[in-house]
Amino acid sequence: MLIGKHLIAGNWVGGEQEFSSAPVFGQAHTFAMGSPELVEVACHAAEEAFWSYGYSHRSQRAAFLNAIADEIDNLAKEITQIGTEETGLPEARLNNERGRTTGQLRLFADCILKGDYLDRRFDAALPDRTPLPRPELRLQQRPIGPVAVFGASNFPLAFSVAGGDTAAALAAGCPVVVKGHSAHPGTGELVAQAIDAAVKSTGVHPGTLSLIQGGKRDVGTALVTHPLIKAVGFTGSLAGGRALFNLCAARPEPIPFFGELGSVNPMFLLPTALQQRAAQIGEGWAGSLIMGAGQFCTNPGISVIIDGPGADDYIAATAMALEDVAAQPMLTDGIASAYRSGRDRIAAIPNVETAVQASCQSREVTPQLFVTSGAAWLASEALGEEVFGPLGLVVKAADADEMKTIARALQGQLTCTLHLEDDDLELAHSLLPILERKAGRLLANGYPTGVEVCDAMVHGGPYPASTNFGATSVGTMSIRRFLRPVCYQNLPNALLPTDLSGQA
Ligand code: NAP
C-alpha cells in the first residue's frame, strides 16, 4: 500500500507540493515533492544517526542489511507489480533485479562479517630502534559519515533506494539520504517501507536512511552541497553527473562524487574471430543491444571490425537480428526523446550509413544500426558518445593499425571487449595495453551487459565512464568509496575500536 510521502528519519512526511507518477501502464499515483528544507532535516538526522550507526559493530550492521533484504522479499509481489507499471520493464526483469538487490545486501553483510574490508594493519613498537624509537601504529578503515545517493532511472531496484550505493554505504557504517528517481517513485517508496521495517526490527537509529521523493534540481543541489554530506553515489547522465560533480568540488569542503556516467562499451572483433564466427557474434551483439531496450550503462554500442572477410556477414547478421525486434517502452519520455535525438544526430554525420532504421513512437522504440568507416569515426567525436538505448554502430577499420588508432582515440569506458581466436592473439596482445588504459573491465568472447555482483567486479573506469577511476560502484570493493583510513598511534587498548583492540 503506497503512502505517497517521504521517509525522513523514521517518519512519513508529506508537504504542500505534490507530483504524479507517469507509469507506462496502470494507475498514476500522487507523491509528495522533495524540497531543500527536507534535505536539511534528513541530513541532520543522518548526522545524528552516525554517532550510533557509525560506531556500531559490523555484526549489527550485517543484521540490519539482512533484515532489509528479508523485508524487500516480503514485499516482492507489490514491488514487482508497481515496478513493471512504472518502468515498462518485464516482470522477469523486475524479479531478477530484486534478487540482485537483496543478493547484494546479503553479500555486503557477509563481507563486513569477514572483516577483510577493514584493511587492518599493525606495526609493532620498536622502543630500542636508533636513532629514534618507533611508536606502535595500527590502522583500520572507518566510515566517512552521511552519504547522499541518487536513484538511477534504469535500475529501479539495484541502483536505487536500497541499491548498490546504499548497501555499500550502510555496510561501511554511513547513514544514507536518498534522492529517489521520479521515474519510479512507487517502487522507491515500497523499498523505503522495507527499510523502515528493518530499522524498527533491528533498532538502528531512524535517521540511518531517509528517502526524499521527486523535487526539482534544487533538491539534488541542496543534497550534494549540504555540509554534513561526506560523499555522493550517482548513476545517470554525463551532463547531470558532471554538474553535480562540479558542485561537490566547489564546496568549501570538497567531497568525493562517485558518478557512474556510462559509456559506449566498444567490442573489437579480431580478424579470425570475425571470419569464423561473424553471424554468431552478430546475433549475440544484437541480443545484448536490445536487452532492457538498451538502457544499460554496459550496453555495447560500438563494434570495431577490420574491413575484409566476415565484415559484410557480421553487419547482415546483426541487421537481421535487429530488424524484427518488437518496439519496447523506454523508462521515461525524456529518455525516449534523448534516444530519438541521439539517433538523428548520428544519422546526420557524413559517411554514416543506416543499416536498420529505428521507429520511435512516444516511449516505444525499436533498435537502430549504423555503419561507418574507421576514418569517419576518427573524424567525428560525436560517434564516440553514448546514445542511451538500443543503438549500435559498426566501425569498419581499414586495417589492424587503424583499429589500434581507434582504440587509442576512445574516451574512458566501463568495459572493452575482444572477440578473438588463437590466431588473433598477436593483435590482441598489442591492443590490450591500450584497452587496459581505457576501461574498468576487459572481456573476451562475451558481451558486457550482465554485471556480476561479486568480489572481483569493477564497474567504473576513466572519465567519462565514471568520475573516479579508482572506484567501482558494483561488487564488494565498492565499500571502499565510503571508508577512510585512520591510524591509531600508541593508543591504549581500552581506547582502540573493538576491531583493532587485541590485534597484533
Ligand atoms: P539524469 O538526468 O542524470 O538524472 C539523474 C538524477 O540526477 C536525477 O535525480 C536528477 O534529478 C538529478 N540531476 C541531474 N542533473 C542535475 C543537476 N544539474 N542538478 C541537480 N540534480 C540533477 O539521468 P536520468 O534521469 O536517469 O536519464 C537521463 C539520461 O541519463 C538518459 O537519457 C541517459 O543518457 C543517461 N543515463 C545513463 C545511465 C548510465 O548507465 N550511466 C543510466 C541512466 C541514465 P531530476 O530528476 O530532478 O532531473
Side-chain angles (χ1 to χ4, degrees), residues 68-291:
I68 297 174
D70 292 345
E71 295 291 351
I72 290 175
D73 280 341
N74 288 341
L75 290 176
K77 217 169 129 220
E78 294 88 334
I79 289 174
T80 296
Q81 187 184 333
I82 196 146
T84 51
E85 290 178 6
E86 289 185 329
T87 63
L89 295 169
E91 201 179 305
R93 155 73 193 271
L94 262 291
N95 285 334
N96 285 341
E97 200 182 315
R98 194 187 64 254
R100 174 178 170 165
T101 306
T102 53
Q104 62 197 8
L105 286 160
R106 293 183 176 116
L107 180 72
F108 273 113
D110 286 348
C111 164
I112 57 174
L113 283 177
K114 283 185 202 133
D116 295 351
Y117 81 100
L118 292 166
D119 193 12
R120 285 171 282 199
R121 294 161 191 228
F122 175 65
D123 289 305
L126 299 174
D128 300 328
R129 190 180 70 172
T130 55
L132 288 172
R134 183 172 79 180
E136 181 195 271
L137 297 150
R138 294 168 192 263
L139 175 153
Q140 78 161 10
Q141 299 286 341
R142 296 288 302 136
I144 55 174
V147 165
V149 169
F150 284 73
S153 59
N154 59 338
F155 278 90
L157 296 167
F159 282 92
S160 286
V161 179
D165 290 335
T166 299
L170 292 179
C174 300
V176 174
V177 180
V178 180
K179 180 191 181 292
H181 200 286
S182 47
H184 43 73
T187 317
E189 191 206 291
L190 287 184
V191 173
Q193 287 186 22
I195 297 176
D196 189 33
V199 164
K200 293 190 167 106
S201 69
T202 56
V204 308
H205 191 291
T208 301
L209 187 128
S210 292
L211 165 65
I212 300 171
Q213 295 275 27
K216 303 194 184 103
R217 291 281 153 98
D218 56 355
V219 174
T221 302
L223 192 53
V224 302
T225 55
H226 198 286
L228 294 173
I229 292 295
K230 298 299 173 200
V232 182
F234 173 94
T235 298
S237 68
L238 177 55
R242 183 61 200 239
L244 294 166
F245 170 89
N246 289 347
L247 287 171
C248 287
R251 291 167 42 128
E253 180 201 355
I255 54 168
F257 177 84
F258 298 101
E260 192 270 88
L261 313 178
S263 61
V264 292
N265 303 293
M267 302 201 307
F268 290 80
L269 280 69
L270 305 196
T272 308
L274 182 64
Q275 201 170 348
Q276 292 183 1
R277 295 189 280 122
Q280 185 198 338
I281 303 172
E283 284 159 19
W285 182 35
S288 184
L289 259 186
I290 60 169
M291 200 186 284

Side-chain angles (χ1 to χ4, degrees), residues 194-454:
I195 297 176
D196 189 33
V199 164
K200 293 190 167 106
S201 69
T202 56
V204 308
H205 191 291
T208 301
L209 187 128
S210 292
L211 165 65
I212 300 171
Q213 295 275 27
K216 303 194 184 103
R217 291 281 153 98
D218 56 355
V219 174
T221 302
L223 192 53
V224 302
T225 55
H226 198 286
L228 294 173
I229 292 295
K230 298 299 173 200
V232 182
F234 173 94
T235 298
S237 68
L238 177 55
R242 183 61 200 239
L244 294 166
F245 170 89
N246 289 347
L247 287 171
C248 287
R251 291 167 42 128
E253 180 201 355
I255 54 168
F257 177 84
F258 298 101
E260 192 270 88
L261 313 178
S263 61
V264 292
N265 303 293
M267 302 201 307
F268 290 80
L269 280 69
L270 305 196
T272 308
L274 182 64
Q275 201 170 348
Q276 292 183 1
R277 295 189 280 122
Q280 185 198 338
I281 303 172
E283 284 159 19
W285 182 35
S288 184
L289 259 186
I290 60 169
M291 200 186 284
Q295 299 164 113
F296 286 116
C297 22
T298 51
N299 201 36
I302 292 185
S303 280
V304 186
I305 61 176
I306 296 175
D307 208 359
D312 291 342
D313 292 345
Y314 181 64
I315 295 163
T318 310
M320 198 191 290
L322 292 177
E323 244 149 22
D324 296 329
V325 172
Q328 291 173 273
M330 296 200 87
L331 293 159
T332 63
D333 289 340
I335 290 177
S337 123
Y339 176 68
R340 250 191 308 274
S341 46
R343 173 201 65 180
D344 296 346
R345 197 173 59 242
I346 290 187
I349 294 171
N351 300 316
V352 174
E353 291 162 25
T354 296
V356 175
Q357 176 67 34
S359 80
C360 297
Q361 278 161 8
S362 62
R363 256 160 101 165
E364 302 271 325
V365 307
T366 62
Q368 175 87 23
L369 184 65
F370 289 114
V371 180
T372 194
S373 66
W377 188 87
L378 287 164
S380 167
E381 233 174 77
L383 290 177
E385 289 165 6
E386 179 186 36
V387 176
F388 200 59
L391 184 144
L393 170 66
V394 180
V395 181
K396 286 198 280 185
D399 52 28
D401 280 344
E402 192 170 73
M403 184 178 252
K404 283 187 257 179
T405 307
I406 291 168
R408 277 196 208 95
L410 285 170
Q411 295 188 314
Q413 304 290 331
L414 294 169
T415 71
C416 286
T417 300
L418 289 170
H419 288 275
L420 76 165
E421 295 294 326
D422 285 351
D423 287 355
D424 295 315
L425 277 174
E426 197 182 326
L427 176 54
H429 266 299
S430 61
L431 269 171
L432 203 62
I434 307 171
L435 300 184
E436 207 184 64
R437 291 186 68 182
K438 299 290 178 181
R441 180 161 59 107
L442 303 174
L443 296 84
N445 293 330
Y447 303 92
T449 39
V451 180
E452 194 66 34
V453 183
C454 59

